[in-house]
Amino acid sequence: MARNVSTGRKLITTVVAWTIGILIFFPILWTFLTSFKTEAQAIASPPVFLFFDWTTENYSEVQSRSDYLKHFMNSVVVSFGSTLLGLLIAIPSAWAMAFSPTKRTKDVLMWMLSTKMMPPVGVLVPMYLIFRNWGLLDTRTGLVIVLTLINLPIIIWMLYTYFKEIPGEILEAARMDGASLTKEIIYVLTPMAIPGIASTLLLNIILAWNEAFWTLNLSAAKAAPLTAFIASYSSPEGLFYAKLSAASSTMAIAPILILGWFSQKQLVRGLTFGAVK
């Protein structure tokens, strides 16, 4: 039976929710507005909010200075490529840990999770030397590999959690019908875990898209994604706030915001997969 909620409580909840939403969204709005200001207006004190001379000069200058489409395509290839490669590795791994566990399975899971606690700068030098010796510096392939490695523990953990919610009897029935291990994973397990796999894919695309440390240190010009594109507007001469906002607000943030907006239902469904019985 549904619980009756008073009108006053609904109003308070609505106001609190809107307040939190505005506070979270405000930095993005401020960055967007700053991208239409001149450099003088961007650093004005007190700050100018809406009443300023709007200009698109920053966008045209950013595009003329840097090849946005090249950096955008690098981000797309690196983020989607690393996520898909991670899924190819993680799905069989998560299946093995969920349905054929050993006494060391939990130890392996904890070890993988512990690798996320290590500061990336601690392995920067050896990674840089390996990439240099293998000719992977400033290549999309190199960035795909490193982003796959750093996000793989999260992918495996998420898929392991989703797979544990699937009844093992269904897979046993598939084996009794003569399904091989490969067919069991592809035709039985994967379709049942589509919400979990989709949310894992979306979350890791976002993580790879926003990764800055490795992309800045392992790429220069050819494979530089949008994170390097944004960082290029910090120079010895100072920070160009208006141009930096133009580069980051619409040109770098907008694509992933649009992706998240249209896939939010799938993302929420996947993140809550198996939570309600």
Side-chain angles (χ1 to χ4, degrees), residues 71 74-75 78 120-121 124-125 127-128 131 136-140 142-144 146-147 150 207-235 239 244 252:
H71 295 289
N74 286 340
S75 285
V78 168
V121 71
L124 174 60
V125 173
M127 287 291 292
Y128 184 89
F131 272 53
L136 293 174
L137 284 178
D138 199 19
T139 64
R140 291 176 175 177
L143 292 180
V144 166
V146 74
L147 293 183
I150 65 174
L207 291 175
W209 188 280
N210 294 332
E211 176 60 38
F213 180 83
W214 291 108
T215 55
L216 290 176
N217 286 285
L218 298 179
S219 66
K222 296 179 182 178
L226 287 173
T227 47
F229 170 70
I230 295 172
S232 66
Y233 289 90
S234 174
S235 66
L239 287 172
L244 184 61

Side-chain angles (χ1 to χ4, degrees), residues 127-207:
M127 287 291 292
Y128 184 89
L129 295 176
I130 291 172
F131 272 53
R132 185 195 63 184
N133 294 337
W134 288 3
L136 293 174
L137 284 178
D138 199 19
T139 64
R140 291 176 175 177
T141 302
L143 292 180
V144 166
I145 292 173
V146 74
L147 293 183
T148 298
L149 293 175
I150 65 174
N151 289 331
L152 191 59
I154 297 177
I155 301 176
I156 293 178
W157 260 92
M158 291 184 67
L159 292 180
Y160 170 78
T161 303
Y162 300 137
F163 289 173
K164 287 291 287 184
E165 300 295 332
I166 296 175
E169 292 79 6
I170 296 178
L171 301 182
E172 291 178 4
R175 293 181 203 131
M176 292 179 65
D177 288 339
S180 63
L181 177 59
T182 304
K183 290 182 178 180
E184 178 185 328
I185 294 175
I186 296 176
Y187 298 110
V188 181
L189 178 67
T190 302
M192 295 183 64
I194 284 296
I197 293 174
S199 63
T200 302
L201 183 143
L202 292 170
L203 182 60
N204 281 273
I205 286 175
I206 294 171
L207 291 175

